[in-house]
């Protein structure tokens, strides 16, 4: 299919590039200019993958940035200013050129270039496109696992996507996870923790497979979670009520280890998870007696459960399962023995 035909499909609404996950594919201006150079020079470019719905419309699954770059150059990409190119290795004259100043010769070359489109029929099974996106973007990608999940969730359920983003920016949540590092934040650990908390509130420990990959487990537990998706507002309020108690009683120490009479500064995920689960299962008691949570939190590091879930070699889903099965009991000998 020619680039000109792809541009017309987008203009006619027959090809969709959703802005909510388009933003996760941000090439730098140098990368976009280099791609346009490749198009002009006739260098082969990879195929794009699209899912086709029952009305014949395309949803771009892989190739978002290539298509977005072409649309932006042509001045057709919604919510984006037209692309102004940088000079490239073989075409330095591209510097400061846009579609209008590129010249009719280069315009024709680009519009006539052909890009192979591989079409996946998702009209009978919408989950195909989520699976396809994950497979195409799991290996050899610059995206973090959470960024991939963000896109998949945006495709599956826009409301859940928006709520996760909103909760990750919530001041109360930020207070109890204030010690997340810049690197962890850049990898979107904050959003991953929100996703995990949804799971801790809505998925039974007995249904968890300890050998599952953590990233697949979180994604699948969200997309296929009827209990969560049909009651999103109430689950959000439940989560916020847990965060509020943690923030009120523990403040910025909620995710820290208590050792030798003082709190260490490092963010420790199992401590966050254990504190969240204990608070969620004992909210009423904690509201009546705040010191219960403070006492529990200070005992975590020396508990048999903490030692069990932080032992070398334990898989992340196994850790989560044990914590959820314990429901706040710090001295369970084998929280997984009945699974």
């Amino acid at each position: 299919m020619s680039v000109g035909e792809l541009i017309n499909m987008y203009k006619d609404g027959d090809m969709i590039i959703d802005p909510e996950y388009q933003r996760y594919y941000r090439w730098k201006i140098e990368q976009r200019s280099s791609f346009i150079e490749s198009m002009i020079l006739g260098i082969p470019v990879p195929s794009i993958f699209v899912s086709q719905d029952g009305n014949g419309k395309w949803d771009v699954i892989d190739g978002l940035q290539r298509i977005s770059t072409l649309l932006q150059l042509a001045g057709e990409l919604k919510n984006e200013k037209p692309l102004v190119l940088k000079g490239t290795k073989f075409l330095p004259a591209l510097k400061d050129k846009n579609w209008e100043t590129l010249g009719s010769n280069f315009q024709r070359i680009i519009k006539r270039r052909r890009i192979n489109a591989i079409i996946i029929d998702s009209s009978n099974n919408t989950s195909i496109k989520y699976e396809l996106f994950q497979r195409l973007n799991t290996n050899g990608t610059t995206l973090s696992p959470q960024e991939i999940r963000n896109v998949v969730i945006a495709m599956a359920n826009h409301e859940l996507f928006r709520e996760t983003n909103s909760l990750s920016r919530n001041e109360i949540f930020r207070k109890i996870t204030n010690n997340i590092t810049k690197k962890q934040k850049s990898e979107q650990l904050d959003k991953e923790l929100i996703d995990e908390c949804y799971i801790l509130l809505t998925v039974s420990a007995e249904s968890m497979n300890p050998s599952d990959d953590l990233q697949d487990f979180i994604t699948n537990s969200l997309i296929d979670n009827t209990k969560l998706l049909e009651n999103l507002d109430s689950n959000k309020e439940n989560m916020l009520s847990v965060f509020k108690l943690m923030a009120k009683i523990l403040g910025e120490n909620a995710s820290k280890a208590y050792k030798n009479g003082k709190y260490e500064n490092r963010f420790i995920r199992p401590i966050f998870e254990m504190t969240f689960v204990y608070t969620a299962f004992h909210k009423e008691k904690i509201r009546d007696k705040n010191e219960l949570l403070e006492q529990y939190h200070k005992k975590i590091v020396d508990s048999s459960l903490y030692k069990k879930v932080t032992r070398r070699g334990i898989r992340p889903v196994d850790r989560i399962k044990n914590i959820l099965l314990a429901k706040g009991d710090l001295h369970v000998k084998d929280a997984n023995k009945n699974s």
Side-chain angles (χ1 to χ4, degrees), residues 196 200 269-277 319-320 323:
E196 184 184 345
L200 290 169
R269 186 165 181 163
I271 288 180
F272 173 84
E273 293 166 336
M274 291 175 69
T275 305
F276 180 85
V277 168
R319 179 190 76 236
I320 293 168
I323 290 172

Side-chain angles (χ1 to χ4, degrees), residues 130-131 133-134 145-153 156 160 192 195-196 199 213-225 228-229:
Y130 318 141
E131 178 67 23
F133 182 88
Q134 286 181 283
Q146 182 61 37
E147 286 175 315
I148 293 174
R149 183 176 305 113
N150 290 339
V151 178
V152 172
I153 292 174
L160 177 59
E192 182 170 299
D195 288 341
E196 184 184 345
I199 292 167
D213 172 78
L214 176 64
Q215 304 305 330
D216 289 343
F217 163 75
I218 294 177
T219 303
N220 294 332
S221 296
L222 292 172
I223 290 177
D224 301 327
N225 192 334
L228 167 62
L229 299 178

Side-chain angles (χ1 to χ4, degrees), residues 239-268:
M239 189 189 302
L240 279 172
S241 68
V242 175
F243 290 163
K244 286 176 183 177
L245 273 178
M246 290 170 64
K248 175 186 175 184
I249 299 167
L250 301 172
E252 295 183 350
N253 296 322
S255 304
K256 300 175 183 178
Y258 185 78
K259 292 182 180 180
N260 302 318
K262 62 180 181 180
Y263 282 103
E264 298 181 346
N265 191 51
R266 186 165 59 95
F267 174 82
I268 301 179

Side-chain angles (χ1 to χ4, degrees), residues 50-59 61 119-130 132:
V50 300
S51 71
Q52 180 171 280
D53 65 18
N55 297 316
K57 292 189 176 184
W58 288 4
D59 199 345
I61 303 302
I119 304 169
I120 307 297
D121 185 359
S122 62
S123 58
N124 295 319
N125 186 351
T126 56
S127 66
I128 288 176
K129 67 179 181 181
Y130 318 141
L132 176 63

Side-chain angles (χ1 to χ4, degrees), residues 5 35 64 89 95 97 150 155 179 196 206 208 216 244 263 276 298 308:
E5 289 174 310
F35 174 69
L64 279 169
K89 182 177 181 179
K95 183 179 179 180
K97 291 291 192 295
N150 290 339
M155 293 176 180
N179 48 343
E196 184 184 345
E206 289 78 9
M208 297 178 182
D216 289 343
K244 286 176 183 177
Y263 282 103
F276 180 85
K298 289 182 176 180
K308 178 179 176 63

